Amino acid sequence: MQYIGELNLENIGEYREKAITSEVILTDEGLNEHILIKHFDEYRELKPYLKNIIESPDLILSDNRNEDTIILLKRINEIEKNGRVVIKIAIAEDKEHPKNSILTLMKLNERTWKQTIKNRGNIIFKNF
């Protein structure tokens, strides 16, 4: 398990009242069984920016496909890419996730960035 950073609980909408911690982790299981298999190159490129994506996202969406899950979006000018990180929020009723956990991450082109905003959930935070 790797500690990645802290969510600003004030920016996560309805989950602010449900979240039991602000800490965000990347589990060994999530890394080894999903991210490194499906998103290895993206992980390698986005890893230096993960903390920044989590602590200073441009947008946060409530994920309409997964319960108690948010999508953080960030434009990363240094590498001319857009990053997307999906986080499972740790809530009191969920003993399996004692910390907020990164489920997946990926780079987005401009078209996919716009589609994510349009189709994946409601905007609960905007920083621009």
Side-chain angles (χ1 to χ4, degrees), residues 21-64:
T21 182
S22 62
E23 290 180 70
V24 177
I25 61 165
L26 178 56
T27 65
D28 296 337
E29 177 184 3
L31 180 63
N32 295 322
E33 294 181 15
H34 176 75
I35 293 172
L36 292 179
I37 292 171
K38 297 190 180 225
H39 306 287
F40 177 79
D41 289 334
E42 293 169 294
Y43 173 70
R44 192 178 66 223
E45 193 166 0
L46 291 176
K47 184 179 179 184
Y49 305 99
L50 270 179
K51 181 177 177 76
N52 187 257
I53 293 169
I54 290 163
E55 295 185 351
S56 185
D58 293 332
L59 288 165
I60 301 177
L61 310 174
S62 58
D63 186 355
N64 61 13

Side-chain angles (χ1 to χ4, degrees), residues 90-107:
I91 60 171
E93 298 83 27
D94 185 357
K95 303 300 181 206
E96 185 180 338
H97 298 95
K99 305 277 188 206
N100 302 306
S101 305
I102 295 174
L103 298 177
T104 192
L105 58 86
M106 61 195 61
K107 295 184 300 189

Side-chain angles (χ1 to χ4, degrees), residues 79-90:
I79 58 172
E80 298 179 359
K81 304 288 182 193
N82 301 316
R84 177 170 90 180
V85 176
V86 180
I87 297 177
K88 175 74 170 172
I89 299 295

